[in-house]
Amino acid sequence: MSVRDQGTIDLQQQPIFVHSLYRSGSTWIFDRFRHATHPYWCYQEPYHEATIWLQSNPDGLLAFDQRAAASLRHPLLDRPYFAEVHSLREHVAPLFQKCISFDSFFETEGCPAFHAYTRALIELAPHRPMLQCCRSFGRVPQIRREHGGVHVHLWRNPRDQWWSYQINNYFDTASLAILQADALPAALQKVADLIGLRRERRATFDEEYTRLLRFPIDAKGRYLAFYALWLYSQLNNFDQADCNLSIDALSADPAALESAMERLRALGIDGVDLSGCSVPHSVLGPADDAFFEDIEAQVRQLFIDAGSEVAAIERATERQRAAQALVSPPHTGALVEQGMRARSAALRYAYALKAARAEEQAAEQHAAALEAQVHAVDEALRAENDKVAATRAELDAERARAAALDARAAQAEQRYEHLAVATQATTTLAQSQVQLAQQHIELAQAQAREMRADAERLVDELRARLADAQAQVAGMAQQLLHAEQHM
């Protein structure tokens, strides 16, 4: 159920979100809630990128606003901007991530930490939480869906607001950071394309800010980027907010002031005194109006081309003109002329600054190209050195292999010499053994001949003896026969 459909009792329990662009009187509104007669736990800029200091330098976050307050012409505060979130640092510091500030400006699904961190701020607040935000106007529907709450849209006429941006370089640079967000709406993408801005992520916002600070953009481009964000917030938040506060009307129109306080009370926001508001305004002349009107018409056409409703754009334009009429005096007097001259000089400076940054960027690109060439030469030399080293390594390996072969050859030669010597000795021994064997053979042969001769002599003797025996036997046989015959 929308908070618009809830009763006053329920509303008094709801967190309060104040959504605005920078330099719209948001710090003054924050201070009014801090000094309300009802207790509110007030978070100043809870999505500020400096909140990440809670993780590494929490006390530095407290000193941050002391350095910035005077230069930004903020109202004097009796406590540091970030005192409330600093007091909860042990709980919320681990939840804060870089993507919370700008990366998820229009779509929170890519940054789950956004809702976890916001939920912790709401639940840990000892009193009814009030979150004053300059980095939330692109994601109000997601915040309402996840956290409910009463949503206040704070705004200022864009011409005074943008001139207030020129107090330093941060705010126009922050506009560029928003135009680098994920899921950039179509109309804003047209603006980014028109000024030549490309999305480039860095590890930290400080790195991104340094790059964007040096982005070459003139006064026309700066106001074009700002006015596109201003018109986007008007088209997407004015009709959806529970309450719209014009800081110009609060400053110049007592009836509007009373109506605004009544509306806050109707939303369950009691005890907040908005009287005494006095926002600075510029004294603009015809030349100033011409500068702004041309750019505003260009931006409105970009939104129409992107599909925005013409009637809604016309209503936003009428609100702008009404707010400007409240704070702008007639185009008369020397003061107007002097202001126009001063702003003309400032615009010329902005154009010159763009040219200087463009030259600086071109010089950096040239230097980068030269550095790339040097790097390429270094890489080529490194590659050649690697090749030489590889060749030397191969040569050393070949030398090592050759030395190993030489060593093996020397070992083989030694083994050959040893083998030759051994072979020679073996041959000599074999020859000696052969000679000895031959001598043994000759000796055996001589002995065999002698034995054969002896055997032959013995055979001859035996034959002779056998013949004698046979003769004797024959004689004896004759004698025996003869004896038988005589018997």
Side-chain angles (χ1 to χ4, degrees):
M1 178 181 294
S2 169
V3 292
R4 300 184 187 193
D5 301 324
Q6 300 177 23
T8 302
I9 295 177
D10 290 334
L11 286 174
Q12 290 176 342
Q13 307 304 318
Q14 293 283 328
I16 303 165
F17 293 87
V18 178
H19 310 283
S20 70
L21 277 72
Y22 307 104
R23 312 300 292 170
S24 59
S26 57
T27 303
W28 185 82
I29 292 292
F30 166 76
D31 188 55
R32 294 296 81 207
F33 270 87
R34 263 191 176 176
H35 290 87
T37 57
H38 282 59
Y40 296 98
W41 187 256
C42 303
Y43 295 109
Q44 164 80 340
E45 296 274 28
Y47 306 129
H48 197 297
E49 60 275 9
T51 307
I52 205 165
W53 293 2
L54 288 176
Q55 300 172 3
S56 59
N57 183 21
D59 292 339
L61 187 64
L62 293 180
F64 177 84
D65 56 85
Q66 297 173 3
R67 297 190 299 268
S71 64
L72 295 177
R73 299 197 299 267
H74 281 172
L76 295 178
L77 304 179
D78 55 8
R79 281 173 287 161
Y81 290 174
F82 302 107
E84 287 81 358
V85 72
H86 180 271
S87 69
L88 303 175
R89 59 191 178 277
E90 293 183 2
H91 304 284
V92 300
L95 300 176
F96 193 88
Q97 296 181 11
K98 172 184 174 292
C99 63
I100 287 176
S101 299
F102 293 103
D103 298 353
S104 61
F105 205 95
F106 298 98
E107 179 52 68
T108 58
E109 288 185 4
C111 183
F114 179 86
H115 290 303
Y117 169 71
T118 302
R119 188 174 299 109
L121 294 178
I122 294 171
E123 293 178 352
L124 293 170
H127 307 296
R128 185 180 182 185
M130 176 272 195
L131 295 83
Q132 180 273 305
C133 312
C134 293
R135 294 164 182 79
S136 61
F137 65 85
R139 42 195 166 185
V140 176
Q142 295 98 313
I143 295 174
R144 184 189 289 275
R145 183 176 61 248
E146 290 290 330
H147 309 288
V150 177
H151 294 264
V152 178
H153 176 226
L154 174 66
W155 64 283
R156 183 181 183 184
N157 82 82
R159 298 180 185 181
D160 279 337
Q161 188 170 0
W162 181 73
W163 271 120
S164 183
Y165 269 39
Q166 307 315 304
I167 197 169
N168 60 29
N169 291 321
Y170 174 82
F171 299 106
D172 280 327
T173 306
S175 293
L176 300 180
I178 295 171
L179 291 177
Q180 284 206 131
D182 297 330
L184 195 64
L188 298 181
Q189 185 62 60
K190 287 180 176 293
V191 172
D193 294 340
L194 186 61
I195 63 176
L197 181 66
R198 301 188 310 275
R199 181 182 295 116
E200 293 184 23
R201 287 280 183 266
R202 296 290 190 271
T204 66
F205 177 76
D206 287 344
E207 295 176 89
E208 291 183 6
Y209 178 81
T210 299
R211 182 186 72 84
L212 293 172
L213 185 63
R214 302 170 69 180
F215 179 73
I217 185 170
D218 58 17
K220 179 180 178 180
R222 292 181 181 188
Y223 186 66
L224 189 146
F226 160 78
Y227 188 74
L229 295 174
W230 184 91
L231 183 57
Y232 174 88
S233 184
Q234 286 287 321
L235 296 178
N236 288 272
N237 295 322
F238 191 89
D239 293 334
Q240 302 301 318
D242 300 299
C243 175
N244 285 281
L245 297 180
S246 165
I247 201 70
D248 299 307
L250 295 180
S251 298
D253 186 350
L257 171 61
E258 182 60 30
S259 175
M261 294 181 66
E262 289 180 2
R263 179 58 182 159
L264 291 180
R265 287 192 291 269
L267 292 170
I269 301 175
D270 298 315
V272 178
D273 183 6
L274 300 181
S275 62
C277 181
S278 178
V279 64
H281 63 271
S282 303
V283 181
L284 303 179
D288 300 312
D289 291 338
F291 169 80
F292 288 123
E293 287 169 0
D294 289 345
I295 298 172
E296 290 165 2
Q298 183 181 12
V299 170
R300 288 193 286 267
Q301 188 59 51
L302 288 174
F303 273 75
I304 292 172
D305 294 343
S308 295
E309 182 184 349
V310 175
I313 293 175
E314 291 176 348
R315 291 193 296 272
T317 304
E318 286 302 316
R319 290 193 295 271
Q320 172 187 341
R321 290 170 180 164
Q324 288 167 186
L326 282 173
V327 295
S328 298
H331 297 158
T332 59
L335 181 61
V336 174
E337 182 67 24
Q338 293 173 4
M340 289 173 56
R341 290 178 180 176
R343 282 185 289 275
S344 177
L347 295 178
R348 287 196 301 272
Y349 170 77
Y351 286 116
L353 181 61
K354 176 187 178 181
R357 286 180 175 173
E359 291 179 0
E360 180 185 17
Q361 192 174 69
E364 289 177 351
Q365 291 173 349
H366 181 64
L370 291 177
E371 186 177 354
Q373 292 178 4
V374 171
H375 180 71
V377 171
D378 288 341
E379 289 295 322
L381 289 175
R382 188 176 293 108
E384 289 299 322
N385 289 335
D386 291 343
K387 291 180 181 179
V388 171
T391 301
R392 286 177 176 172
E394 292 178 359
L395 181 59
D396 290 342
E398 289 297 327
R399 287 175 175 169
R401 285 194 291 271
L405 290 174
D406 288 343
R408 292 174 61 186
Q411 292 175 354
E413 185 175 356
Q414 290 178 354
R415 286 197 298 270
Y416 174 78
E417 291 176 354
H418 293 162
L419 182 61
V421 172
T423 302
Q424 182 63 37
T426 302
T427 301
T428 302
L429 177 61
Q431 290 175 347
S432 299
Q433 291 177 345
V434 168
Q435 291 177 354
L436 181 59
Q438 288 178 344
Q439 291 175 356
H440 289 170
I441 291 171
E442 290 177 354
L443 179 59
Q445 288 176 343
Q447 291 176 346
R449 285 195 295 271
E450 290 179 357
M451 291 176 66
R452 184 174 181 178
D454 291 342
E456 289 178 350
R457 285 195 298 272
L458 179 58
V459 168
D460 289 341
E461 288 179 358
L462 291 174
R463 286 177 178 172
R465 289 179 182 176
L466 179 59
D468 290 342
Q470 289 176 343
Q472 289 178 2
V473 168
M476 291 177 67
Q478 286 291 334
Q479 289 178 1
L480 181 58
L481 182 60
H482 187 283
E484 290 178 349
Q485 289 174 357
H486 289 84
M487 291 180 67

